[in-house]
C-alpha cells in the first residue's frame, strides 16, 4: 500500500441530510455515507470540474491498481472527538472483566457501535462507560451527555413534500425523513492522496461536493457541507500489526484476502447509477466486507466493474478498496 | 455528453413576508389542544421556508410563463384510479429553460396527451437530455430580529400568529372553525439560491439560466407562497439582493474572497453586468 499524504476531512453540515428512502430505519447509522458512495460523489464532482477525459485518466489510476487517492467511509465526530466503528469481534467482555469498561449490565456492551479512534489505537488506556452506541472515557462523559444515557448527534425529522397539478391544483403529499446534525457534530473521513500532482484538484472536488450536497434531494439544498482538511498521521503506522481494521467497504481481490478476514460483516451494495449519463438505471449488486471488519494482514480490496448489461455510455464502478487502521498490540479479539 | 461546471451564481437575499405566510407541515394528525394547521419549523422550533417549497412554486410559475402547460408538454406524475391526477411539465428539449434550470427526473414518462389516448402507454425516457440540475434552493431561515418586540406583543406563539378560519361546508352549511398558524407580515428570511453555469459539449450557458431564475423570482413576487394565497396570504418580496460569481477554479483555493457582480435593494433595481 502506498503511503501518501493523509488528511482528516471533517464535514460540517450546513443543511439536513436526506436518509435513503429505502432504508427507512430510524437509525443514525443509515445516514453515514459508505466509502463507495463518497468516492463516486468525489469522482462525479471531479468530472464536473475537469471534464470527461481528465476523469478517465483519474479512473485509469484506480484500475491500474495505483489509486491516485483513497478514502475511508464517513464516521461521526462530536465536539472535536473523532469516532471509528467498533471492530467486529472486539472482546468487550475482556475489557469489562479487566475493569476498564464499567457497565450496569452486559446488554450495554452490545449497543456499542463507535469508539474514539485514539482509545482504539492505544488499546483503551482509560476507564470507560457506555453512552448509547458510543463508548466514552468515564471522565469525558460530562462533555457529551447531561443525562449520562446517550450521546446525541442530532435528530431525525420528517419532511413533507407536495406536488401540485398544474391545471386542477389537486395535490399529492409525500414524506421523507432527514437528519439534522447538532452544531458540534458531523461526519469525517480519511483522505490519502498518493498522487501529489492531483492534490489541489481532489480537494477542489471535495469542496464542490460540499456545495452540491451529499445524499438525496440535493437540489433542495439538503446534504450540503463545509469540508475542512486537517493533515494527519496514523500514530501506529506499524507494518507488523497483527490485526488491521477496515474503515471502508472492502471487496477482496483474491482468495487470500478473503481468508484473512477474521471477524467480519457482509453488506450488499446495489442501487442506481448516479452520473451525468446514467440516472435511474440499476447497477449490478456487489457483496463487500463492512467497515469494522478485522483482517489478519494488509489487504487491498478492489474496484469492481458493476456496469449493467444494456448500459453503454460509460463503465460503472464500485470502489471497494481497503482503507486500513492497524490495531495495537494486545488488542483483545474474541477467540484470540 | 460532456458537462463541465464553469462556475456558480450564488444569489443571496432576504425574503420578506408582505402578508402573513402559511407553509404547512402537511401534518393532518390533530393534536388535542394543538393547532390543526401548523407551519413548518426547524429543530429549534423556528419557522423556515423549505427549499422545496420555493423551488416547487417557482417551477410551476415558470412552466406557465414559458408556455409549457399543454397536454403534450405535461407528464403524468401521479395517477389515481386510472386518472392523471398530478401533471407537471417535463420534456426532453435540451434547451428547455424550465427543465434546464429545475431538472428532469429519470425513468420513463408518459405525457398527458398520450395518457388520455392510452392509459397504459409505456412512455419515453428523457435520459439523453438529463444533465445535472442547475438550480439549488436552500432552506430560508428566519431572521429573528425581523420579528420585533412590538410585533411579538400581537403574536399568539413565540414566532407566529394563530387565526381562526371559518370554513362553511358547501352542502350542509355547517360551520367548520379551524385554527391556522401563520408567520406574521414583516417577518424576513435569509435565502440562498445557486445557479450552476455549465458548458455542455462546448457550449457555455453564460448568464442564460441566471436571467431565467431572476424571472422566476419576479413571477413569485406577483403570486404567493404557501397556503391560502387566494385569501391574501403568502405575498413575498425579495430584498437586499446580492449575486456573487464563484468560478470553478475557486474550488482549488482554500478559501475565496468573492466580489458581488450585482447588488440591489429589490428585484426591479437589479442589473446584471454582462461579462
Ligand atoms: Zn422542459
Amino acid at each position: 500500500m502506498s503511503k501518501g499524504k493523509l488528511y482528516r476531512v471533517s464535514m460540517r453540515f450546513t443543511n439536513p441530510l436526506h436518509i435513503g428512502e429505502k432504508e427507512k430505519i430510524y437509525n443514525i447509522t443509515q445516514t453515514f455515507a459508505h466509502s463507495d458512495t463518497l468516492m463516486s460523489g468525489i469522482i462525479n464532482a471531479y468530472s464536473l470540474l475537469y471534464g470527461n477525459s481528465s476523469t478517465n485518466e483519474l479512473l485509469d489510476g484506480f484500475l491500474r491498481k495505483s489509486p491516485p487517492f483513497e478514502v475511508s467511509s464517513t464516521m461521526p465526530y462530536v465536539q472535536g472527538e473523532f469516532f471509528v466503528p467498533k471492530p467486529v469481534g472486539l472482546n468487550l467482555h475482556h475489557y469489562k472483566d479487566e475493569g476498564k469498561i464499567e457497565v450496569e449490565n452486559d446488554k450495554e456492551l452490545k449497543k456499542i457501535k463507535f469508539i474514539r479512534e485514539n482509545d482504539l489505537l492505544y488499546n483503551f488506556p482509560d476507564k470507560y462507560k457506555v453512552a448509547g452506541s458510543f463508548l466514552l472515557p468515564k471522565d469525558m462523559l460530562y462533555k457529551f451527555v447531561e443525562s449520562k444515557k446517550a450521546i446525541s448527534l442530532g435528530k431525525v425529522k420528517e419532511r413533507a413534500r407536495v406536488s401540485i397539478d398544474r391545471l386542477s391544483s389537486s395535490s399529492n403529499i409525500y414524506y421523507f425523513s432527514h437528519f439534522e446534525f447538532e452544531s458540534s457534530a458531523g461526519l469525517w473521513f480519511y483522505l490519502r492522496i498518493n498522487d501529489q500532482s492531483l492534490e489541489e484538484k481532489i480537494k477542489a472536488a471535495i469542496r464542490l461536493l460540499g456545495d452540491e450536497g451529499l445524499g438525496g434531494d440535493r437540489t433542495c439544498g439538503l446534504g450540503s457541507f463545509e469540508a475542512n482538511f486537517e493533515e494527519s498521521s496514523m500514530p501506529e503506522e506499524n507494518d507488523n500489526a497483527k490485526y488491521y481494521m477496515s474503515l471502508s467497504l472492502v471487496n477482496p481481490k483474491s482468495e487470500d484476502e478473503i481468508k484473512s478476514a477474521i471477524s467480519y460483516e457482509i453488506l450488499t451494495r446495489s442501487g442506481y447509477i448516479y452520473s451525468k449519463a446514467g440516472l435511474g438505471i440499476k447497477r449490478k449488486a456487489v457483496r463487500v466486507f463492512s467497515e469494522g471488519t478485522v483482517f489478519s494482514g494488509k489487504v487491498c480490496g478492489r474496484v469492481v466493474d458493476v456496469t449493467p448489461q444494456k448500459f453503454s455510455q460509460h463503465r460503472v464502478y464500485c470502489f471497494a478498496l481497503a482503507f486500513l487502521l492497524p490495531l495495537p498490540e494486545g488488542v483483545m479479539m474474541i477467540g484470540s | 455528453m460532456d458537462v463541465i461546471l464553469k462556475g456558480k451564481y450564488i444569489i443571496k437575499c432576504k425574503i420578506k413576508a408582505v402578508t402573513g405566510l402559511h407553509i404547512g407541515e402537511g401534518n393532518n394528525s390533530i393534536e388535542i389542544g394543538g393547532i390543526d394547521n401548523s407551519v413548518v419549523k426547524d429543530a429549534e422550533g423556528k419557522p423556515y421556508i423549505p427549499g422545496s417549497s420555493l423551488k416547487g412554486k417557482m417551477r410551476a410559475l415558470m412552466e406557465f410563463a414559458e408556455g409549457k402547460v399543454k397536454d403534450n408538454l405535461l407528464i403524468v406524475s401521479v395517477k389515481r384510479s386510472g386518472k392523471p391526477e398530478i401533471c407537471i411539465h417535463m420534456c426532453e428539449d435540451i434547451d428547455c429553460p424550465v427543465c434546464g434550470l429545475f431538472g428532469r427526473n429519470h425513468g420513463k414518462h408518459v405525457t398527458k396527451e398520450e395518457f388520455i389516448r392510452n392509459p397504459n402507454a409505456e412512455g419515453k425516457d428523457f435520459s439523453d437530455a438529463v444533465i445535472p440540475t442547475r438550480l439549488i434552493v436552500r432552506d430560508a431561515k428566519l431572521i429573528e430580529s425581523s420579528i420585533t418586540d412590538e410585533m411579538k406583543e400581537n403574536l399568539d406563539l413565540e414566532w407566529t400568529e394563530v387565526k381562526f378560519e371559518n370554513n362553511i361546508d358547501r352542502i350542509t352549511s355547517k360551520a367548520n372553525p379551524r385554527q391556522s398558524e401563520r408567520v406574521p407580515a414583516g417577518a424576513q428570511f435569509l435565502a440562498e439560491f445557486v445557479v450552476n453555469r455549465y458548458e455542455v459539449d462546448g457550449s457555455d450557458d453564460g448568464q442564460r439560466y441566471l436571467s431565467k431564475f431572476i424571472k422566476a423570482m419576479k413571477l413569485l413576487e406577483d403570486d404567493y407562497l404557501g397556503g391560502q394565497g387566494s385569501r391574501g396570504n403568502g405575498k413575498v418580496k425579495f430584498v437586499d439582493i446580492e449575486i456573487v460569481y464563484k468560478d470553478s477554479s475557486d474550488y482549488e483555493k482554500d478559501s475565496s474572497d468573492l466580489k458581488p457582480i450585482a447588488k440591489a435593494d429589490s428585484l426591479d433595481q437589479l442589473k446584471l453586468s454582462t461579462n
Side-chain angles (χ1 to χ4, degrees), chain A residues 48 95 105 130 137 174 227 231 234 282 295 297 328 332:
Chain A
L48 213 45
Y95 293 98
N105 58 56
V130 184
Y174 56 99
E231 264 194 73
M234 293 236 175
K282 270 214 154 156
F295 296 94
M332 289 306 293

Side-chain angles (χ1 to χ4, degrees), chain A residues 78-99:
Chain A
V78 193
Q79 311 228 20
E81 301 293 337
F82 294 90
F83 292 88
V84 294
K86 183 205 79 172
V88 181
L90 182 70
N91 193 341
L92 290 165
H93 287 274
H94 168 86
Y95 293 98
K96 190 197 99 180
D97 295 343
E98 258 188 347

Side-chain angles (χ1 to χ4, degrees), chain B residues 59 63 68 73 89-100 103-104 126:
Chain B
R59 177 176 194 134
E63 290 174 15
K68 306 287 183 189
L73 292 175
H89 165 75
M90 211 173 283
C91 71
E92 58 180 333
D93 173 8
I94 189 94
D95 288 322
C96 172
V98 177
C99 298
R104 290 174 180 87
F126 298 157

